[in-house]
Amino acid sequence: MSDYILSSETREKLKKVSTASVATALFKRGLRNQFVQGVRPVEKKPVTMVGQAFTLRYIPAREDRNPLTVFRNRDHKQRVAVETCPEGHVLVMDARKDSRAATAGSILITRLALRGAAGVVSDGGVRDAAGIGALDMPAYFACPSAPTNLTLHEAIEINVPISCGDAPVFPGDVMLGDGDGVMVIPAHLADEIAGECTGMESYEDFVLEQVQAGAGIIGLYPATDEENLTKYAEWRERTGR
């Protein structure tokens, strides 16, 4: 668990960086397994998803515990997670990478969006994918899946450490999602990663301009030639980056 609170300054910085930059920055720190494997955007969005994790853990459903009537229970964990996920957070669901049944559908995810969540990530399926994709809120999943969650999943715990797409997710970790997928940033590293990746994105924009102009990558990417560092400093002065 973490007492970390994502600041608006760090959130805005992270909204301008990519999962690729975050993956590299975390790898420098020895963290190799922070990418949520096997999920993709339900629909690509023009914004980067950034928010702290609020988790929901599913276990395999046992038939005598998961008839359709359990949805009458006001304390059903799936419903409670949707109603208690804090504003600005990302609901992250652990379905054990089993996408044969949905982990949520468009009605629940619409409610989540209207409550101000920053996004949703599931390593399982979702139903009514078109409706979820039409929302402004970013959503990530393994694939569309029509069967209700009760056929294979039992929502068992809220806001506990989980695995999502083989990545460890602790409540309060920072989730960052773009068109490539989702990275999990350990909460205690979020501010540091935001600052470092802001600089990485700036340099990569410079490199791309150089490559498009015909430059070779040796000595440029990574920057091992002093000449390129000088050019980069001049580029930053010129562009304000």
Side-chain angles (χ1 to χ4, degrees):
M1 302 296 181
S2 172
D3 294 328
Y4 175 79
I5 297 175
L6 178 66
S7 69
S8 57
E9 179 183 2
T10 295
R11 186 188 296 270
E12 289 308 309
K13 285 181 180 179
L14 288 172
K15 283 185 175 182
K16 296 180 176 67
V17 306
S18 67
T19 52
S21 292
V22 170
T24 298
L26 290 174
F27 178 61
K28 289 178 183 177
R29 292 159 174 80
L31 298 173
R32 303 166 179 263
N33 189 36
Q34 300 303 117
F35 186 67
V36 180
Q37 298 291 337
V39 307
R40 58 185 176 85
V42 176
E43 190 73 35
K44 289 189 177 181
K45 304 295 179 185
V47 296
T48 297
M49 180 188 75
V50 178
Q52 290 186 260
F54 184 84
T55 64
L56 172 63
R57 185 169 76 92
Y58 283 103
I59 63 171
R62 199 177 76 188
E63 289 79 1
D64 63 331
R65 289 177 54 89
N66 289 276
L68 199 57
T69 52
V70 299
F71 283 147
R72 296 177 183 174
N73 298 340
R74 299 181 68 85
D75 61 352
H76 187 270
K77 293 295 193 294
Q78 182 203 45
R79 268 56 177 173
V80 172
V82 169
E83 291 293 342
T84 57
C85 179
E87 183 178 355
H89 281 55
V90 175
L91 178 60
V92 187
M93 294 185 277
D94 172 8
R96 312 170 314 284
K97 299 198 301 182
D98 189 340
S99 60
R100 294 175 298 160
T103 49
S106 64
I107 292 175
L108 270 64
I109 302 305
T110 297
R111 173 61 178 163
L112 188 70
L114 290 174
R115 291 192 60 255
V120 60
V121 181
S122 172
D123 65 0
V126 295
R127 64 199 311 195
D128 313 314
I132 294 172
L135 297 170
D136 291 335
M137 184 186 75
Y140 294 81
F141 72 151
C143 66
S145 188
T148 180
N149 65 311
L150 300 176
T151 60
L152 287 171
H153 307 303
E154 178 176 347
I156 197 75
E157 284 186 293
I158 295 173
N159 222 29
V160 295
I162 61 170
S163 168
C164 188
D166 294 328
V169 182
F170 292 83
D173 283 349
V174 178
M175 311 298 292
L176 186 145
D178 61 13
D180 288 347
V182 180
M183 290 295 300
V184 185
I185 306 172
H188 69 283
L189 292 174
D191 295 344
E192 184 180 320
I193 293 294
E196 180 175 326
C197 287
T198 298
M200 289 172 62
E201 295 287 342
S202 169
Y203 185 71
E204 290 193 357
D205 287 346
F206 162 74
V207 168
L208 186 57
E209 281 191 20
Q210 297 296 302
V211 170
Q212 289 172 335
I217 61 169
I218 297 173
L220 173 65
Y221 189 68
T224 55
D225 289 356
E226 190 64 34
E227 176 187 1
N228 289 316
L229 291 173
T230 300
K231 287 181 180 179
Y232 174 53
E234 293 170 350
W235 178 87
R236 291 190 67 189
E237 180 71 24
R238 186 171 66 254
T239 62
R241 296 286 304 282

